[in-house]
Amino acid sequence: MDLTTFEEVLGLFADTALIALLYGYGEPLLDPTIGEKIETCSRAGVTSMISTDLLPADRKVIADVVDAGIDAIRISLHGDSRGTYEKYARTDKYEEVLDNLRFLLAYRSRREKHLLIEWLFCFHNYNVHEIESARQKARDMGVDHFRVTPLWVPPEAASEWMPPQVLEEFVKDAADLTCSIHYREIMVNWDGTLRPCCRNERTLKLDLGDFRDFEELWKGPIYKYIRNVSSGRCKPDAAMEVPCNVCEIVSGRKVPNW
């Protein structure tokens, strides 16, 4: 998203927004305007956060993000060894990621910044045995928070990637699941179009409209349907082309869509 559009988005929501999640389907450290966007959030009094895999990562970019006043950085690092990391990431840059994380922690300390750093560990069949060793490594390095969550996988890959006990637990509880995300956040695409969340692949027909029309859209029939279907107050309607209809949680299919 270009800086002008971002400033317009933030200007519309700044009075009520609590946090701006400056990431979506790409790597925020590759955005040449990420520092300016963080500074814009700071001036508006909105907390800012990015989620990054620290690859590729120029140390100067990392430093600039810290100096710009970022409030929280989530590091997506799904393994505690080169082998398990490569299985999912499909790259041999495990040690480089750790080195960049060490640089980030040291630079935060040197600049005396109040910045939360979180290690996100998405577990799957190939790395679930490393959760506790990764947790200890995060603690030893000085990471503030270690978050563990199941890896999102498409239904056809679930049997390979997800531990059987997770699948069993999900199936047992699936009928009672509801989704509250549509009451607490929205997603604005790079081109200014709206989506209710980032759970599913983006297709243009599932975009809800332009962010400038948010108030009208929020009170309109599409968003009302989204809130009703995601909270379980009505069944999915194929005539309503919204992402919720292809979300396994909302549609009631017994496979995980984390």
Side-chain angles (χ1 to χ4, degrees):
M1 179 182 292
D2 64 76
L3 186 59
T4 299
T5 302
F6 177 78
E7 290 174 340
E8 191 176 356
V9 171
L10 195 65
L12 180 62
F13 296 109
D15 289 343
T16 54
L18 298 177
I19 183 170
L21 306 176
L22 306 179
Y23 57 92
Y25 297 123
E27 170 54 60
L29 295 184
L30 294 177
D31 179 359
T33 65
I34 188 63
E36 294 171 282
K37 289 172 181 172
I38 293 167
E39 291 172 348
T40 301
C41 289
S42 296
R43 289 193 298 270
V46 177
T47 297
S48 59
M49 176 180 177
I50 64 170
S51 179
T52 173
D53 61 12
L54 289 180
L55 280 178
D58 184 328
R59 295 283 176 87
K60 184 180 184 305
V61 174
I62 296 175
D64 288 346
V65 164
V66 174
D67 289 335
I70 190 73
D71 295 292
I73 298 179
R74 174 180 293 159
I75 311 301
S76 294
L77 179 51
H78 316 308
D80 189 35
S81 67
R82 180 173 175 174
T84 53
Y85 174 78
E86 288 182 10
K87 181 66 178 179
Y88 176 71
R90 305 297 184 183
T91 177
D92 61 357
K93 303 294 186 179
Y94 175 70
E95 291 298 334
E96 185 176 336
V97 174
L98 287 180
D99 286 343
N100 286 334
L101 177 53
R102 293 186 185 100
F103 171 81
L104 171 62
L105 290 161
Y107 192 79
R108 174 185 68 171
S109 178
R110 186 161 69 249
R111 298 292 289 171
E112 299 182 342
K113 293 289 187 177
H114 298 289
L115 160 63
L116 176 73
I117 298 176
E118 177 185 76
W119 179 333
L120 174 65
F121 189 105
C122 293
F123 70 86
H124 49 73
N125 266 334
Y126 300 101
N127 71 359
V128 66
H129 61 287
E130 293 185 345
I131 290 176
E132 292 310 316
S133 60
R135 190 192 309 275
Q136 185 60 51
K137 178 172 289 182
R139 186 180 298 118
D140 294 342
M141 293 177 72
V143 173
D144 302 307
H145 185 241
F146 183 79
R147 181 185 178 198
V148 180
T149 188
L151 177 71
W152 180 92
V153 291
E156 61 271 18
S159 60
E160 176 189 357
W161 284 90
M162 290 310 303
Q165 63 271 24
V166 175
L167 287 173
E168 292 170 5
E169 193 66 25
F170 188 92
V171 168
K172 183 176 69 176
D173 296 336
D176 298 324
L177 286 176
T178 59
C179 176
S180 64
I181 196 170
H182 314 297
Y183 292 91
R184 67 177 189 266
E185 65 183 68
I186 60 169
M187 179 177 182
V188 183
N189 295 310
W190 66 270
D191 56 359
T193 52
L194 286 173
R195 286 178 62 82
C197 76
C198 64
R199 292 281 179 173
N200 302 102
E201 295 180 3
R202 184 186 179 195
T203 56
L204 291 177
K205 71 176 184 178
L206 297 182
D207 292 341
L208 304 182
D210 191 276
F211 77 92
R212 298 170 186 86
D213 302 319
F214 174 74
E215 185 172 356
E216 178 182 350
L217 290 167
W218 180 254
K219 298 175 181 178
I222 296 179
Y223 247 117
K224 285 182 179 178
Y225 167 75
I226 287 172
R227 292 193 293 273
N228 284 331
V229 74
S230 61
S231 61
R233 291 198 293 267
C234 73
K235 293 182 178 181
D237 180 357
M240 301 292 285
E241 291 188 314
V242 297
C244 306
N245 284 352
V246 292
C247 172
E248 283 80 3
I249 291 177
V250 172
S251 67
R253 282 171 275 167
K254 307 300 185 181
V255 290
N257 184 5
W258 302 100

